[in-house]
Amino acid sequence: MNSHPSSHPQNPAWTALTEHHHKLCHVHLRELFAEEPLRGEEMVIDAIGLTLDYSKNRMYRETVALLVQLAESCHLRARIEAMFRGDRINTTENRSVLHIALRAPRTASIVVDGVDVVPQVHAVLDKMTAFCNRVRRGEWKGYTGNRIRNIVNIGIGGSDLGPVMAYEALKHYSDRSLVFRFVSNIDGTDFVEATRDLDPSETLVIVSSKTFTTQETMTNALSAREWLLSGLGGDSEAVAKHFVAVSTNAEKVSQFGIDTANMFGFWDWVGGRYSMDSAIGLSTMLAIGPEAFLEMLGGFHAMDEHFRTTPFDRNLPAMLGLISVWNCNFLGAHTLAILPYDQYLKRFPAYLQQLTMESNGKQVTLDGQRVSHSTGPIYWGEPGTNGQHSFYQLIHQGTRLIPCDFIAFLESLHPIGDHHDKLFANVLAQSEALAFGKTTEQVIAEGTPQELVPHRVFEGNRPSNTILAQKLTPDILGKLVALYEHAVYTQGVIWNINCFDQWGVELGKALAQRIVPELTASSEAPLQHDSSTNALIRRYRDARS
Ligand code: G6Q
């Protein structure tokens, strides 16, 4: 859409922001806080159990107003409605994008192609609930009559990152008598290490794959079947007791030998990276139980409603998305650090990498024109305080601007000694140090030897958000994930790109399919790659023979 305002250099809202940036690009956060002593109380959104303090961004109140104007000029409200209504906003795949339906209450109605999808969603949730209850109560028996004690989820990308992240995030609420393992990599090490100490007679394998054709998952699933059958005497009847599938592809599931009665479905309007709250979350429900899983869905839904109905300047995901647009497109940041101060969220940055970068790593607008501005920043991170002893140096004193999202909880799930006071002090200290730094005068006043002064100066003026909640619960996890899902959509709307396709992963996949037979051919097949790839293939062939 050439006419889309944000892709047009003449979009007045974009131009106004560019001019506004010229005015404030030399202003330091120290000055902003001195001029507006209350900004720490006012540039804060408190809603549905989350707090977003965005006061430590290089923004005036006027910046917020201009960003909201930008959102309006890009028709963000209408685009949100289009998503919630089930319009085919994933235009390159001609699909609706309805992860919001996965957490809609039973009483809601969302009609796609004349069919209300909400009853379908709840039918799957009910089936998952019945299954999880049987496994958790020990009623689902394996082939030899043993109860299930181990769950192995096989999947990759969207069929792995959400389940792993949610399992880790909600471990506190999980049934500790069950062992959970996650196998994703096609590297055989992943499968072998995940299963080496497991007894097949007590193991349930969930093959999680929307398409049921993904190379990694099908390779791992076949190895799992071999491992299981060889441990249980080779009777293929055992498969039905030890394998279930989560997929949209009933035909492939049944070809694999899994009874489709033990298949949990979802729909093509659920994107992989938006699927942790669909049946792809079966391992999560097994771990924390149906009630807590529904609580998590409630959290997602509360954020959906907040996003859909709240004015943008008080809207958590809209503001988070708009702030990142400001930092990336106007301040020139290329990356964004996600820094959760909670050990249970250790996989949250990895999860967000896929959500954000697969969604918004796009170079063309919805109508295929080259974008005229940068799009998805690089998301990365580690839990605090560990990162402080590693890469924070570069954030504090390096030459790049790296906006940070700090995520912290007022209450610890393990309030032992004074750990939490210290943890929380650290998160505050980091955002304070990043914003305000330490001036030359301060460093000299500390009696620092002259030659060390420049090394010990902290420029400050590094932007950050602080996201707070009372404590990490299933409800809050749902809210946090939905917060970022919708922030990603907000960014995508401003950039006028399709957040919901991922054509960029296709080329490598196709080339790998072509190279496998070239590596394994018994006779020297002719190679027609570049000289580097050809030579590397020959090295592998030599080593293999
Ligand atoms: C996510 C992507 C991708 C997908 C995996 C696994 O949005 O589409 O990460 O989830 O490639 O796909 P399957 O679930 O089909 O195996």
Side-chain angles (χ1 to χ4, degrees), residues 156-159 208-212 214 217 271-273 354 358 502:
I156 195 163
S159 301
S208 293
S209 176
K210 183 173 168 181
T211 54
F212 231 72
T214 304
T217 301
R273 55 192 173 276
Q354 184 193 27
E358 202 166 46
Q502 56 283 317

Side-chain angles (χ1 to χ4, degrees), residues 300-366:
F300 272 101
H301 179 66
M303 185 58 76
D304 294 343
E305 284 302 296
H306 168 81
F307 182 51
R308 199 172 65 81
T309 58
T310 311
F312 296 139
D313 60 350
R314 285 183 279 125
N315 188 313
L316 294 161
M319 279 305 296
L320 195 65
L322 290 169
I323 292 166
S324 64
V325 167
W326 170 248
N327 284 331
C328 295
N329 295 106
F330 298 91
L331 269 58
H334 292 146
T335 160
L336 206 155
I338 302 290
L339 307 167
Y341 276 64
D342 189 301
Q343 188 60 18
Y344 282 126
L345 289 183
K346 66 181 179 189
R347 295 292 293 169
F348 196 60
Y351 172 77
L352 284 191
Q353 276 179 357
Q354 184 193 27
L355 180 68
T356 57
M357 297 204 279
E358 202 166 46
S359 297
N360 284 343
K362 308 291 163 64
Q363 62 189 13
V364 294
T365 59
L366 282 166

Side-chain angles (χ1 to χ4, degrees), residues 6-9 14 363 365 369-374:
S6 79
S7 64
H8 205 280
W14 193 277
Q363 62 189 13
T365 59
Q369 304 293 314
R370 178 86 194 190
V371 292
S372 59
H373 41 68
S374 59

